[in-house]
Amino acid sequence: MNQTIPKKPLYIAGSTKEAASYKELRSPHSGEVIAEVAIGTREDVKAAIDHAEEAARTMAKLPAHKRAAILQKVSLLLNERKEEAARILALEAAKPITVARGEIARTVETYQFAADEARRLHGETIPMDASAMGENRIAYTVRQPLGIVGAITPFNFPFNLVAHKLGPAFAAGNAVILKPADQTPLSSYFIADLFAEAGLPAGALQVIPGPGSEVGDEMVIDDRVKMITFTGSPEVGKTIRSKAGLKRVVLELGSNSGLIIDEGFDIDRIIKRTVTGAFTFMGQVCISLQRIYVHQSMYDKFVEKFVAETKNLRIGDPLDETTDIAALISQKDVERIASWVKEAESLGASVLTGGTDNNVVKPTVIVNVPSHAKVSCQETFAPVVVISPFDTLDEAIDAVNDSRYGLQAGIYTENIERALHAAERLDVGGVMINDFPTFRVDQMPYGGVKESGVGREGIKYATEEMTEMKLVCFNRNK
């Protein structure tokens, strides 16, 4: 790179602070150094919490319309600089530029939803006289901010998943300490600048990159942090929950999304959409389509058409407008997937298309995969999909449920009774009928069961998670 490499210090109390050490941030696509990023420490987190305490008191006093105005302003500012933001995504995450633009458009809307929730947040009146003991009493609830929220975010949606932490937290009147993913901190610095420009009180948002064992752990164990909201692996999520004590936690963890294509469905209508669900952003999506179960009467035709459409995907530079598939987030993940595919082959599976090329995993379609193979039972987080036939709907539902995860699942069917049967039996947080499980809009409740996590995101639901309900009761019998 010819230009000067930017240096990104810590962002504490509304201004930058030099860190004791920095590390090189490299593009997953080119391997070039794109920034030098601060490495935060436990002491940095403690200092940030000190500042956040005062900022939390300020935020709690900020009227709802002013919190909404700040969030609205960030939405407008991001929309004005959307192309710049998309290029940051393509650079630090190797997200194809067309997909990156889609994420930024969603993020603009997510902050708008948060602004709306700041205005809508309310309690309710309680019918006290429903009990004889409650006669002559008036009661109502209010929702108050928790105080300081610790947010730990992943690399795959570094703008929009950060918005799902910051938006609800600020709508509710909290302060936030943000630990971005190691590979994607630049987007967090970018959004922090927008919040400062929008008038967020100093210290209400602080950005501290660094190792989870230092930065994340200190947020989890410090009692002044009242909630941890985390998106990442089940293993880390379990550790957070074990250390968090009585503080509130919302954990969005792993997934292994399955799709059922029922007998008689017109598969020509959904080939392109299912390919999109499996391979968008190289499968590095929490609800990426990983397992497809097709009725045996249509199985061969579906596989043939799915593979043909997959081969149309173009591999290239993430900044190229025609690129569908770019580098995976790390070479370690490329090697992991190669070993998992090799294991599946050793167990009798057939790879119909795929392979690796330096830092790229080519879109991979595998059939005849045993359910205990890693590409089937674990979360690949890569452009790999397994296609299997089934005879009965309950057999397919059981196959989808045979997973340690339960985030979202989908079914395509022309039969409403079979759709409702699947919706009832699928053991997941969200069932998409006549759509793939990769579908999400940012106002809907989002979360899973089993090892997919606890709590719900979606702006309204997350805002409520980030408040404490207080009851106020008047006794009119003086």
Side-chain angles (χ1 to χ4, degrees):
M1 297 178 69
N2 295 323
Q3 69 255 40
T4 302
I5 296 171
K7 187 176 183 181
K8 295 295 184 179
L10 304 169
Y11 186 78
I12 295 179
S15 61
T16 58
K17 176 191 172 186
E18 288 296 331
S21 59
Y22 290 76
K23 73 170 188 175
E24 292 180 340
L25 179 67
R26 293 181 178 272
S27 159
H29 168 71
S30 67
E32 293 181 310
V33 177
I34 56 177
E36 291 184 356
V37 179
I39 301 175
T41 66
R42 288 182 181 273
E43 293 306 312
D44 294 322
V45 176
K46 291 175 183 177
I49 295 172
D50 290 340
H51 292 292
E53 285 189 294
E54 178 60 34
R57 288 189 286 269
T58 301
M59 288 293 293
K61 296 176 183 177
L62 205 62
H65 73 90
K66 290 186 177 180
R67 300 197 303 271
I70 291 169
L71 290 160
Q72 177 72 50
K73 181 66 172 176
V74 168
S75 178
L76 293 172
L77 290 171
L78 180 58
N79 191 55
E80 290 171 1
R81 297 174 63 182
K82 58 189 176 184
E83 187 63 20
E84 181 184 354
R87 293 183 72 83
I88 288 172
L89 257 179
L91 190 64
E92 69 176 353
K95 181 166 285 193
I97 189 66
T98 54
V99 181
R101 290 186 185 119
E103 179 177 342
I104 300 306
R106 283 182 61 187
T107 307
V108 167
E109 193 171 63
T110 298
Y111 283 119
Q112 179 62 63
F113 285 137
D116 295 341
E117 287 306 320
R119 297 184 179 95
R120 276 199 291 256
L121 187 63
H122 62 84
E124 61 182 0
T125 57
I126 310 299
M128 297 299 289
D129 61 354
S131 167
M133 293 182 292
E135 287 184 20
N136 292 313
R137 283 173 169 80
I138 297 171
Y140 62 90
T141 62
V142 294
R143 288 194 171 273
Q144 297 182 326
L146 297 175
I148 302 173
V149 173
I152 304 173
T153 56
F155 75 84
N156 58 330
F157 285 84
F159 273 100
N160 200 42
L161 289 184
V162 164
H164 274 277
K165 316 294 188 189
L166 303 187
F170 297 147
N174 297 291
V176 180
I177 299 172
L178 171 64
K179 183 196 128 33
D182 288 347
Q183 182 56 43
T184 53
L186 303 184
S187 48
S188 291
Y189 284 110
F190 183 90
I191 209 70
D193 287 341
L194 296 192
F195 268 106
E197 185 177 346
L200 187 73
L205 172 58
Q206 301 178 83
V207 181
I208 306 182
S213 58
E214 289 272 326
V215 175
D217 194 62
E218 189 61 35
M219 287 196 294
V220 170
I221 65 175
D222 194 307
D223 289 338
R224 294 174 295 172
V225 177
K226 301 303 180 183
M227 176 180 177
I228 296 293
T229 173
F230 168 80
T231 301
S233 73
E235 291 71 28
V236 176
K238 290 175 185 178
T239 299
I240 288 172
R241 198 168 191 186
S242 69
K243 292 182 176 182
L246 295 179
K247 74 177 56 176
R248 195 168 301 181
V249 294
V250 171
L251 306 174
E252 296 295 337
L253 307 177
S255 181
N256 182 342
S257 293
L259 171 67
I260 298 168
I261 303 176
D262 196 18
E263 180 179 11
F265 198 87
D266 182 2
I267 59 175
D268 289 328
R269 290 161 46 193
I270 60 170
I271 291 296
K272 287 188 176 182
R273 187 150 178 82
T274 51
V275 168
T276 297
F279 301 127
T280 291
F281 190 34
M282 296 75 79
Q284 298 171 128
V285 180
C286 296
I287 40 179
S288 181
L289 176 53
Q290 185 173 332
R291 297 175 294 153
I292 305 176
Y293 299 94
V294 186
H295 190 268
Q296 55 83 22
S297 63
M298 309 179 298
Y299 175 74
D300 290 338
K301 179 182 176 182
F302 180 86
V303 170
E304 179 184 355
K305 289 179 176 290
F306 188 93
V307 170
E309 185 66 28
T310 297
K311 289 181 177 179
N312 289 332
L313 297 175
R314 186 179 185 279
I315 298 170
D317 186 327
L319 288 171
D320 187 327
E321 299 284 343
T322 64
T323 293
D324 300 302
I325 302 292
L328 217 57
I329 198 66
S330 74
Q331 188 62 38
K332 181 180 178 181
D333 284 297
V334 174
E335 294 166 0
R336 172 179 60 84
I337 291 303
S339 70
W340 286 14
V341 171
K342 186 175 180 180
E343 179 216 45
E345 288 182 296
S346 73
L347 295 172
S350 299
V351 178
L352 304 185
T353 186
T356 62
D357 184 7
N358 295 321
N359 55 359
V360 172
V361 174
K362 299 176 182 178
T364 302
V365 181
I366 315 178
V367 296
N368 302 321
V369 180
S371 61
H372 64 280
K374 290 178 181 176
V375 293
S376 179
C377 69
Q378 297 194 29
E379 182 178 30
T380 57
F381 227 60
V384 177
V385 67
V386 172
I387 309 178
S388 304
F390 70 88
D391 290 312
T392 69
L393 179 58
D394 278 330
E395 175 192 336
I397 293 171
D398 289 341
V400 173
N401 287 343
D402 184 19
S403 172
R404 57 193 277 219
Y405 305 112
L407 187 48
Q408 291 193 169
I411 177 170
Y412 282 105
T413 180
E414 300 286 4
N415 187 304
I416 185 63
E417 292 298 327
R418 292 166 73 83
L420 292 172
H421 178 70
E424 181 179 355
R425 282 209 56 220
L426 285 166
D427 191 13
V428 293
V431 178
M432 305 298 117
I433 296 173
N434 288 340
D435 209 345
F436 56 19
T438 321
F439 176 77
R440 180 185 183 186
V441 289
D442 296 288
Q443 75 272 32
M444 76 187 204
Y446 178 80
V449 299
K450 298 186 280 189
E451 291 193 28
S452 286
V454 293
R456 289 294 180 270
E457 289 193 340
I459 301 302
K460 172 182 182 293
Y461 309 93
T463 302
E464 291 176 352
E465 295 267 13
M466 294 180 180
T467 62
E468 198 70 71
M469 182 185 291
K470 177 183 285 186
L471 173 72
V472 179
C473 183
F474 284 88
N475 181 359
R476 296 171 64 186
N477 295 317
K478 297 180 181 178

